[in-house]
Amino acid sequence: PHSRFPLTYNEEDPAVIPLPHLGALRSCVQALNLRALAGLQNGRSEKALADVKLSLRLADSIRTEPFLISHLVRIAMVNLTLQPMYEGLVEHKWSEAQLVELDSELAKLDFLPDYGTAVRGDMGCQKEIIDYLRRHPEQFPNLSAYGDFIKAPLLARIIWHSIPSGWFYQNQLRCSRFMIQQYLPLADLEHRIVSPASVRHADAAVGLEFRHVSPYNRLESLLLPAFGGAVKKFAYAQTSVDLARVAIALERYRLAHGGYPESLDALAPQFIAKIPHDIINGQPLHYRPETNGQFVLYSVGWNEADDGGEVGRIKYGTPDISEGDWVWRYPAK
């Protein structure tokens, strides 16, 4: 647990720290999930469970990294890992003991505090990058159209070297203040809610922040990330985990009683300690058993509307999470 990937953490310019391990980890998870799916089809659910657990362990290995991209890749890895869990549930491949173990692994995941880690880490990166530019004004062409300090006009080079330190500190202050006041509160840890309306308000504040560009916000306008889109991915990831845990509890109920319950209330506390609520609005998740022996389970999703369990339009082979409901079991079309 105290290991670190062999990255160039001591680079003076933090913007050039390479993160090659992220692609390698994701590729490993893709391979493990393919093997887990093959194991399920071959009746080797114990091998599939081991691969699922290893995938989650690899995803956890980057949980404490202070980079937003690390957390986004981790979310992608967890979403990939949910696929063999889902297929094993649909085809009733998991045993009771394996279901308990899967739920125990998923219960360790909590993406809402991880969002705060990403925000605070990005604040630190912004500070270090601005400090680096203050010490090395010759790097300003990387943020301009010139691309090379020597090719830049003489007047531009003189201006870059003459910038007062106070301008840099004001940009640092404004970046951090905006992140703390607008972006950090978007994940409400107390109530476990991510409000799309609050995200829209924060995104609108970004536009107001940069309506008038000045020396005090020029670097801020270049470095302040669009965390509105990021927090949506964190909310979707946590919803996916919550839906998976409820689906596991439903399968455990089916194994014990021969069918699915009429409501989720029948699951707690025997099959799940507490039924998670909808991350979007704090209301109960939507659930209904169907006459074909299946069920539909979903969150209202980012549009905050109950679409009856219909997913958003499919784009690039995956649902658009800005539209429709966030559904555990997609209805057949």
Side-chain angles (χ1 to χ4, degrees), residues 4-9 20-21:
R4 291 291 180 269
F5 290 100
L7 309 183
T8 52
Y9 293 105
H21 65 302

Side-chain angles (χ1 to χ4, degrees), residues 216-281:
Y216 289 171
N217 71 357
R218 176 58 179 149
L219 291 177
E220 180 195 19
S221 67
L222 297 172
L223 297 176
L224 197 63
F227 264 94
V231 72
K232 175 169 59 176
K233 294 181 179 180
F234 280 81
Y236 180 74
Q238 187 58 51
T239 298
S240 298
V241 169
D242 289 346
L243 293 175
R245 294 193 64 203
V246 174
I248 287 172
L250 286 167
E251 177 65 4
R252 292 181 63 198
Y253 184 98
R254 188 196 68 82
L255 288 174
H257 299 283
Y260 296 116
E262 290 301 315
S263 76
L264 297 181
D265 294 336
L267 300 178
Q270 182 178 358
F271 302 106
I272 187 171
K274 182 181 179 181
I275 304 294
H277 63 240
D278 195 328
I279 290 292
I280 297 300
N281 55 19

Side-chain angles (χ1 to χ4, degrees), residues 23 47 56 80 123 131 164 178 191 216 222 224-225 228 252 257 262 265 268 273-274 282-284 295 297 314:
K47 296 291 186 181
L56 292 175
L80 284 170
M123 287 169 55
D131 271 342
F178 194 93
H191 301 98
Y216 289 171
L222 297 172
L224 197 63
R252 292 181 63 198
H257 299 283
E262 290 301 315
D265 294 336
K274 182 181 179 181
Q283 299 300 310
F295 63 85
L297 176 67
I314 302 298

Side-chain angles (χ1 to χ4, degrees), residues 20 27 57 62 70 83 99 101 143 149 155 181 195-197 220 231 248:
S27 295
R57 176 65 186 90
I62 55 178
S70 297
Q83 184 64 26
L99 291 169
E101 198 164 352
L143 302 177
F149 184 80
L155 179 59
Q181 293 179 351
S195 167
E220 180 195 19
V231 72
I248 287 172

Side-chain angles (χ1 to χ4, degrees), residues 104-130:
S104 176
E105 293 294 326
L106 291 178
K108 301 173 185 177
L109 301 174
D110 193 348
F111 287 101
L112 297 193
D114 295 340
Y115 169 75
T117 300
V119 171
R120 293 184 181 92
D122 209 88
M123 287 169 55
C125 289
Q126 292 167 9
K127 176 185 179 299
E128 292 301 320
I129 290 172
I130 294 175

